[in-house]
């Protein structure tokens, strides 16, 4: 399996790619820190919250890096969250307490999971699973999701940077998931969703299975994702293993 550093880089590359289809979201570095942030904008108050990603780094190094980054109050770092990724399957109380002492509040945790695409089982369900390759199908998913899930150019791109998969029952879009290949040989899973009325019917597993097998066909040997704690119960069924935990912190207002 890949290490936390590589998984963190895949997370940043994949997440930033779909953060906005209209305004660039960039990935930069400060020492060993990874930073996801808006590109230059005309309005200073228009910058979205930036994410500072620490792939299992010492707390003192992270805080020093953030202070150096924010010196001079650059507008794109006016609002930040800190994403500290630690090995292990549970909340790291030492990490939580250390950041609390530094003035950061824990907001949430998410399991970071990895799978070998070659190990994906062949699964089916009552839904029809397919890759979205035409605009009508893409528009149907966008309406169901409430936001655009793929750009027109990505529907036929070769090799594709982003692939969108849909689950349909009687013509209704009931689930979708995206795979993003931004790092050679490693794919990022984005926006896995199945409508509530269609859950517990094997649809999510079938979607992931189809996606992973297609990942392998497109040269990805590994797939990385961040799961909800409920989703972490699902993903092992298609080959994912947890390699770490992402802790999301926010600086406490002074």
């Amino acid at each position: 399996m890949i290490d936390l550093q590589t998984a963190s880089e895949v997370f940043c590359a994949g997440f930033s790619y779909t953060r906005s289809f209209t305004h660039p979201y960039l990935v930069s570095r400060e020492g060993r820190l990874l930073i996801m942030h808006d590109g230059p904008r005309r309005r200073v108050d228009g910058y979205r919250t930036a994410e500072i990603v620490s792939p299992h780094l010492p707390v003192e190094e992270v805080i020093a890096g953030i202070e150096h980054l924010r010196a001079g109050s650059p507008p794109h770092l006016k609002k930040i969250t800190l994403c500290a990724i630690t090995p292990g399957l549970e909340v790291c109380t030492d990490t939580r307490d250390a950041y609390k002492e530094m003035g950061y509040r824990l907001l949430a945790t998410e399991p970071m999971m990895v799978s070998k695409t070659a190990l994906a089982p062949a699964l089916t369900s009552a839904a029809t699973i397919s890759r979205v390759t035409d605009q009508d199908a893409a528009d149907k998913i966008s309406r169901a999701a409430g936001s655009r899930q793929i750009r027109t150019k990505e529907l036929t791109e070769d090799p594709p940077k982003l692939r969108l998969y849909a689950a349909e029952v009687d013509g209704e879009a009931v689930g979708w998931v995206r795979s993003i290949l931004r790092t050679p040989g490693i794919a990022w899973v984005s926006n896995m969703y199945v409508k509530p009325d269609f859950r517990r019917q094997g649809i999510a597993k079938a979607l992931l299975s189809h996606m992973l097998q297609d990942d392998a066909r497109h040269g990805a040997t590994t797939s990385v994702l961040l799961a909800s704690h409920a989703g972490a119960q699902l993903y092992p069924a298609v080959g994912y293993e947890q390699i770490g935990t992402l802790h999301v912190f926010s600086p406490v207002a002074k």
Side-chain angles (χ1 to χ4, degrees), residues 105-249:
R105 176 170 58 97
L106 182 64
L107 301 179
T109 62
E110 296 181 0
M112 176 167 273
M113 308 186 79
V114 172
S115 177
K116 290 291 186 183
T117 58
L119 301 179
L123 301 175
T124 59
S125 72
T128 300
I129 311 294
S130 61
R131 179 183 167 195
V132 175
T133 56
D134 66 79
Q135 194 61 56
D136 287 344
D139 291 343
K140 179 188 286 190
I141 297 298
S142 295
R143 289 192 296 270
S147 63
R148 186 162 52 142
Q149 298 297 300
I150 190 170
R151 288 171 285 201
T152 300
K153 68 177 185 178
E154 292 158 338
L155 294 170
T156 55
E157 209 170 33
D158 186 22
K161 296 184 183 72
L162 181 152
R163 285 170 279 114
L164 172 64
Y165 297 89
E168 292 191 11
V169 175
D170 296 330
E172 177 187 356
V174 301
W176 46 87
V177 67
R178 297 182 292 193
S179 179
I180 301 163
L181 192 59
R182 298 291 290 163
T183 303
I186 310 175
W188 171 254
V189 181
S190 169
N191 203 23
M192 171 70 216
Y193 184 79
V194 173
K195 291 182 177 180
D197 289 348
F198 295 89
R199 293 173 186 170
R200 300 185 183 278
Q201 299 178 32
I203 294 173
K205 294 176 186 175
L207 263 172
L208 289 164
S209 169
H210 191 106
M211 177 201 74
L212 287 166
Q213 291 181 44
D214 218 14
D215 280 342
R217 284 190 285 271
H218 284 89
T221 60
T222 307
S223 175
V224 181
L225 59 80
L226 285 170
S228 66
H229 288 280
Q233 307 304 310
L234 159 71
Y235 294 114
V238 291
Y240 285 91
E241 298 178 12
Q242 185 174 349
I243 63 167
T245 301
L246 178 137
H247 303 65
V248 182
F249 293 94

